[in-house]
Amino acid sequence: IELGLGHKRIGVLIFLSLTLYGLFSLFMKIRNCKSAFYLLRTNTWAAYTMLILMTLVDWDVLIIRYNLSHYKETGEVSPKYLVNLADKTLPIIYQNPQKVKNAKDKQGEVWYERHKVYVANRAKNYLKNQKTYSWLSWNYADYQTEQYFLKNPIKE
């Protein structure tokens, strides 16, 4: 993905924020004559806090919604990337086929016409796999996706 949001871009932003915090804590260590243990402790807590905060965001849904809502500015959707995100994003792709098809460079339209069977098969496999799971595997995102496909039959 060249112009939109992706996992690696998010990772770079998180890395840069932790690096900036590390530089700030190093500055505070030098200015206040703190020990190396202070540096280790504060940076470890910052990394731990960042890991916790990262779990609060549904990254795949955020990425696909952002890229589909900003495709007119960027001119590219990168449907290959979007289709290979988590299964819980399949309803979003089904709700917005015109955005995948109408990219400025027409790459999206050609790709979507060639691969809509792939998207439909992926959705069918998702529903088939959901039937094999027990109640121990239940989660709300899968439930929402399954309900969407039960209410809106898969078209090829």
Side-chain angles (χ1 to χ4, degrees):
I1 189 159
E2 295 176 13
L3 302 171
L5 187 62
H7 288 99
K8 290 182 182 176
R9 286 204 176 140
I10 293 168
V12 167
L13 290 175
I14 290 168
F15 173 77
L16 287 175
S17 65
L18 286 173
T19 303
L20 287 174
Y21 182 79
L23 288 172
F24 173 74
S25 66
L26 181 64
F27 171 75
M28 295 303 289
K29 175 196 177 303
I30 294 170
R31 191 179 88 175
N32 297 333
C33 297
K34 300 280 186 174
S35 67
F37 179 72
Y38 163 81
L39 200 60
L40 179 68
R41 184 187 56 182
T42 57
N43 289 338
T44 303
W45 276 109
Y48 182 67
T49 303
M50 182 61 78
L51 287 173
I52 291 172
L53 291 175
M54 288 181 342
T55 63
L56 299 176
V57 178
D58 191 353
W59 294 109
D60 286 345
V61 172
L62 176 84
I63 288 169
I64 198 164
R65 286 198 174 140
Y66 178 86
N67 288 341
L68 287 177
S69 65
H70 291 88
Y71 79 99
K72 288 185 180 179
E73 292 92 24
T74 62
E76 185 176 328
V77 174
S78 187
K80 289 180 185 177
Y81 177 74
L82 297 180
V83 165
N84 289 315
L85 291 174
D87 290 333
K88 61 188 166 193
T89 62
L90 285 172
I92 299 170
I93 293 172
Y94 268 89
Q95 292 167 356
N96 299 292
Q98 71 284 358
K99 290 184 179 179
V100 176
K101 290 168 81 171
N102 294 333
K104 285 182 187 174
D105 61 0
K106 297 295 181 191
Q107 174 227 2
E109 184 173 343
V110 172
W111 183 93
Y112 188 81
E113 291 304 319
R114 276 192 278 146
H115 291 84
K116 64 182 173 182
V117 174
Y118 169 74
V119 175
N121 286 338
R122 187 164 169 233
K124 287 177 187 175
N125 287 336
Y126 171 78
L127 288 174
K128 186 171 64 174
N129 289 338
Q130 285 299 310
K131 292 178 184 175
T132 64
Y133 296 145
S134 72
W135 65 272
L136 296 171
S137 300
W138 188 91
N139 65 64
Y140 190 63
D142 286 341
Y143 172 76
Q144 283 182 313
T145 304
E146 186 176 11
Q147 291 303 309
Y148 175 82
F149 285 121
L150 292 176
K151 290 177 186 173
N152 303 299
I154 300 166
K155 301 174 206 160
E156 290 188 38

